[in-house]
Amino acid sequence: MVSAVVLAAGASTRMGSQKLLLLLGGEPLLRRSVRQVCDAGFDDVLVVLGSEHEQTRTALEGLAVRHAVNAQYASGMGSSFRTAVEHLPDSEAAMFALADQPFVTSVEYRTVLDAYRHDPHGIVSVRYGEVMAPPHLFEREFFPELAQLEHGARSVLQRHQDRTLVLQFRPDLLVDVDTPEDYELARSRLSSGR
């Protein structure tokens, strides 16, 4: 079983309100992102919630996902990796995606899944031009290392470059919605069809 994990626990401090509930293309950002992951063909989709988890969970109604609540979300992204690993007892591998990347679609997520299934690397990582960023897929043997993280997975990727297949995605797909300016940019880009 290959799972997909969407990390969606943060408090959106730079936005000033829960960014995952902001509407993008007529639906909450969280739902848009999770829907794209659901459409990519993974065996299982787990969403790690945290800040305002009752409201964010409501945005997922009707989607075929599981959710887990990270009560320690304020301590950083590492706590969400730990929460995820605890909720993946039967997964041989898991792709970790971020809920605030609205322009990464089911096509890209499927590319990561297909690359894992067709190539015997233990990790599938993504570069957008020169920038390494999620999603990243890890075989189960790396879960204990992920559960020790304080922040993102960069340190695990650096330690295991010899086990990593790196995919190249278009740089313009790398948009994180972190600030009000990011949100306006994403809305404008979506409405213009770019």
Side-chain angles (χ1 to χ4, degrees):
M1 181 166 82
V2 181
S3 296
V5 176
V6 182
L7 302 177
S12 306
T13 49
R14 285 189 281 169
M15 184 66 72
S17 63
Q18 180 47 267
K19 65 184 178 182
L20 298 180
L21 297 176
L22 295 173
L23 293 182
L24 203 55
E27 63 186 332
L29 172 57
L30 174 61
R31 187 179 184 87
R32 176 188 177 86
S33 299
V34 173
R35 184 172 52 76
Q36 297 291 346
V37 173
C38 287
D39 290 347
F42 287 86
D43 300 310
D44 167 55
V45 178
L46 172 70
V47 184
V48 179
L49 304 174
S51 176
E52 300 179 47
H53 61 88
E54 290 177 0
Q55 294 92 320
T56 49
R57 185 171 61 223
T58 300
L60 301 173
E61 283 180 1
L63 296 178
V65 300
R66 299 184 296 128
H67 71 271
V69 175
N70 171 15
Q72 308 297 319
Y73 67 88
S75 68
M77 192 181 290
S79 59
S80 286
F81 278 100
R82 277 189 291 286
T83 300
V85 168
E86 290 167 5
H87 288 81
L88 296 171
D90 303 315
S91 303
E92 71 178 59
M95 181 193 74
F96 291 81
L98 301 180
D100 64 356
Q101 290 184 309
F103 296 105
V104 181
T105 71
S106 57
V107 172
E108 287 77 41
Y109 295 128
R110 181 73 195 206
T111 299
V112 173
L113 177 61
D114 287 346
Y116 169 70
R117 287 190 167 148
H118 294 110
D119 199 302
H121 286 76
I123 299 173
V124 180
S125 181
V126 173
R127 277 190 182 279
Y128 303 81
E130 294 303 306
V131 181
M132 184 91 62
H136 306 300
L137 183 147
F138 298 90
E139 277 196 330
R140 180 168 202 85
E141 69 178 278
F142 299 101
F143 287 7
E145 284 182 69
L146 296 174
Q148 299 299 315
L149 292 172
E150 290 191 23
H151 303 292
R154 187 177 305 272
S155 60
V156 180
L157 295 170
Q158 288 172 339
R159 266 196 304 279
H160 301 289
Q161 293 179 32
D162 59 323
R163 298 285 311 282
T164 302
L165 172 67
V166 180
L167 304 178
Q168 290 286 343
F169 286 178
R170 295 194 337 255
D172 64 313
L173 297 177
L174 184 58
V175 176
D176 294 339
V177 178
D178 290 323
T179 66
E181 293 75 23
D182 295 338
Y183 176 53
E184 288 308 319
L185 195 68
R187 284 180 60 192
S188 161
R189 182 169 152 184
L190 204 62
S191 64
S192 69
R194 285 184 291 123

